[in-house]
């Protein structure tokens, strides 16, 4: 049973019936707003990019997985590939995290999205991020990336490690500006 999250909401990712999550996927989906013209509506391509930023307990960036580095240095986090248009149903980009292989020093994974081509969120609709248990394909949590506006990036959500290997997800929804995750780092640090 998925939890529809609101901005700032935090949920436990403990498995129903006990046990720990082992493999999760953060999916990102979006559609481009159709442009209206003299001869009807036409589609446009919008290249949103999902990134996963791995932080330690001191809030230091340890590694980043994004379209230019599809795998973390230790191999525990894998980006499934860059979607340049947002066309199609379901997740347009995904980042898979093997929680069993994630180094113990990593305490937070922050997921960001940015428009590499520069379009702002007023040109995007139906945008969401969702966390899925990859072992069962069950959606655990979903956050609608609402709030169209002049920003071209968002700090979407974070997954944090607690005591005894427990994980939580927090919906952030922080608006930002930047074409890559590096541009978003100053804004991201404020949510750690």
């Amino acid at each position: 049973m998925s939890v529809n999250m609101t901005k700032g909401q935090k949920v436990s990712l403990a498995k129903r019936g006990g046990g720990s999550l082992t493999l999760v996927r953060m999916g990102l989906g979006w559609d481009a707003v159709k442009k209206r013209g003299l001869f009807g509506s036409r589609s446009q391509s919008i290249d949103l990019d999902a990134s996963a930023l791995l932080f330690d307990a001191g809030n230091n960036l340890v590694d980043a997985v994004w379209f230019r580095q599809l795998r973390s240095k230790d191999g525990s986090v894998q980006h499934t590939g860059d979607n340049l248009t947002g066309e199609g149903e379901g997740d347009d980009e995904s980042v898979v995290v093997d929680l069993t292989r994630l180094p113990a020093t990593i305490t937070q994974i922050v997921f960001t999205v940015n428009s590499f081509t520069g379009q702002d969120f007023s040109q995007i609709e139906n945008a969401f991020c969702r966390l899925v248990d990859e072992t069962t394909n069950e959606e655990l949590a979903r956050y609608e990336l609402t709030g169209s506006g002049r920003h071209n990036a968002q700090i979407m959500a974070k997954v944090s490690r607690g005591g005894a290997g427990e994980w939580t997800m927090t919906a952030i929804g922080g608006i930002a500006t930047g074409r890559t995750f590096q541009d978003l780092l100053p804004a991201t640090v404020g949510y750690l």
Side-chain angles (χ1 to χ4, degrees):
M1 176 128 185
S2 180
V3 174
N4 284 317
M5 300 182 72
T6 58
K7 187 174 184 171
Q9 184 179 5
K10 183 177 182 177
V11 296
S12 170
L13 298 177
K15 282 188 158 192
R16 285 181 298 190
S20 299
L21 287 175
T22 56
L23 192 64
V24 295
R25 173 173 40 92
M26 179 63 78
L28 167 67
W30 73 92
D31 294 316
V33 172
K34 295 218 184 296
K35 294 260 187 186
R36 299 197 196 297
L38 185 60
F39 301 106
S41 298
R42 64 179 173 86
S43 296
Q44 61 177 327
S45 294
I46 296 183
D47 180 11
L48 293 186
D49 293 319
S51 301
L53 311 178
L54 288 66
F55 290 91
D56 65 17
N59 295 338
N60 299 303
L61 180 66
V62 175
D63 203 353
V65 175
W66 58 309
F67 72 91
R68 289 190 180 149
Q69 180 182 313
L70 296 177
R71 181 182 297 270
S72 61
K73 293 172 189 139
D74 61 25
S76 64
V77 181
Q78 171 78 44
H79 194 298
T80 60
D82 191 13
N83 180 320
L84 303 177
T85 65
E87 290 183 14
E89 297 297 315
D91 298 339
D92 294 311
E93 291 196 8
S94 293
V95 178
V96 178
V97 181
D98 185 342
L99 297 171
T100 64
R101 293 181 55 206
L102 196 66
T105 56
I106 302 300
T107 59
Q108 299 181 82
I109 305 168
V110 178
F111 296 93
T112 64
V113 58
N114 54 273
S115 172
F116 185 74
T117 47
Q119 291 102 332
D120 61 45
F121 271 69
S122 69
Q123 299 175 58
I124 298 164
E125 62 186 3
N126 306 321
F128 65 86
C129 66
R130 69 189 193 117
L131 196 70
V132 176
D133 181 342
E134 277 290 271
T135 63
T136 63
N137 206 33
E138 178 186 4
E139 182 177 286
L140 304 171
R142 175 181 286 260
Y143 178 55
E144 301 295 328
L145 303 175
T146 59
S148 65
R150 305 308 304 175
H151 58 284
N152 69 351
Q154 275 195 39
I155 293 87
M156 294 187 295
K158 71 177 175 179
V159 174
S160 305
R161 186 192 310 255
E166 296 173 5
W167 293 90
T168 59
M169 178 176 164
T170 305
I172 297 172
I175 62 172
T177 301
R179 293 183 61 222
T180 66
F181 83 86
Q182 292 104 328
D183 298 332
L184 307 181
L185 277 176
T188 302
V189 171
Y191 295 102
L192 297 178

